[in-house]
Amino acid sequence: EAQVTQNPRYLITVTGKKLTVTCSQNMNHEYMSWYRQDPGLGLRQIYYSMNVEVTDKGDVPEGYKVSRKEKRNFPLILESPSPNQTSLYFCASSQIPGRQETQYFGPGTRLLVL
Amino acid sequence: AQSVTQPDIHITVSEGASLELRCNYSYGATPYLFWYVQSPGQGLQLLLKYFSGDTLVQGIKGFEAEFKRSQSSFNLRKPSVHWSDAAEYFCAVGAPGNQFYFGTGTSLTVIP
């Protein structure tokens, strides 16, 4: 089944404790992206990647890192999480880099930073 | 700068009534426009998209949207709403540099 998976689905952590949220897709998509969703703000793009070893900042990249060592994986790294990073995070992928391509979304990761 | 505006934070409609969700965009070139739906506790599912051609696009679940360049709008419509349509709806635009911008969403409540 074609899908985007994220792990973990739920995470509670404390300020400053490094964490990684994994994202994997099995559709051989080149484009992958991370978003955060906050009430009243909709989805905001954090980082995106057009291919292996190619990453770019989205609208709200501060406090986040990403890597794209393999085509299928695009982990989101919070080196020193803070409470303002408490949010719902979505990973997405699409077939080729391009703003016209449909993005497929993962189920989301709900993060609480205490 | 690109932006997407969904002016209605929350809409309530009766089951069987028609629905229109508004979306306005700010974009300097030909936009690529999307509508997504998010059911409670779920990820986002694509309803429909507009790239070019016919300005009235059909999507899944009986939804349609009309692109109006003169009004910079891409409103979502459904002639008869079902209780299962209760969800949050997001309009989005694909921008240069492969970034995507989403609206803040419209929450739909369907009453019997």
Side-chain angles (χ1 to χ4, degrees), chain B residues 33-100:
Chain B
L33 298 160
F34 306 82
W35 274 100
Y36 284 86
V37 61
Q38 183 181 30
S39 298
Q42 303 296 313
L44 280 78
Q45 181 183 22
L46 180 71
L47 284 176
L48 47 78
K49 58 189 177 184
Y50 171 78
F51 295 158
S52 64
D54 193 347
T55 56
L56 184 63
V57 294
Q58 303 297 321
I60 62 171
K61 304 184 180 186
F63 285 92
E64 66 177 27
E66 186 171 12
F67 169 60
K68 293 185 177 180
R69 185 186 299 274
S70 62
Q71 299 176 20
S72 297
S73 68
F74 189 57
N75 295 348
L76 182 71
R77 301 193 295 248
K78 186 169 185 178
S80 178
V81 170
H82 187 262
W83 63 266
S84 60
D85 293 324
E88 187 141 20
Y89 292 79
F90 292 94
C91 182
V93 61
N98 300 300
Q99 287 188 256
F100 285 82

Side-chain angles (χ1 to χ4, degrees), chain A residues 33-105:
Chain A
S33 182
W34 276 103
Y35 298 87
R36 60 179 289 174
Q37 182 180 13
D38 302 289
L41 297 177
L43 280 83
R44 293 176 293 168
Q45 196 169 35
I46 303 171
Y47 270 95
Y48 60 96
S49 169
M50 290 194 285
N51 212 326
V52 175
E53 302 293 0
V54 179
T55 62
D56 283 289
K57 296 178 180 179
D59 265 353
V60 288
E62 294 78 21
Y64 304 94
K65 286 175 58 177
V66 293
S67 70
R68 188 90 182 275
K69 293 184 170 56
E70 305 167 281
K71 197 172 187 178
R72 62 183 292 124
N73 296 322
F74 191 44
L76 179 69
I77 303 155
L78 285 70
E79 294 271 3
S80 182
S82 63
N84 64 12
Q85 293 178 296
T86 292
S87 188
L88 178 59
Y89 291 87
F90 287 101
C91 180
S93 72
S94 64
Q95 186 169 4
I96 59 173
R99 54 197 175 98
Q100 73 275 23
E101 285 294 319
T102 299
Q103 290 188 83
Y104 297 88
F105 283 81

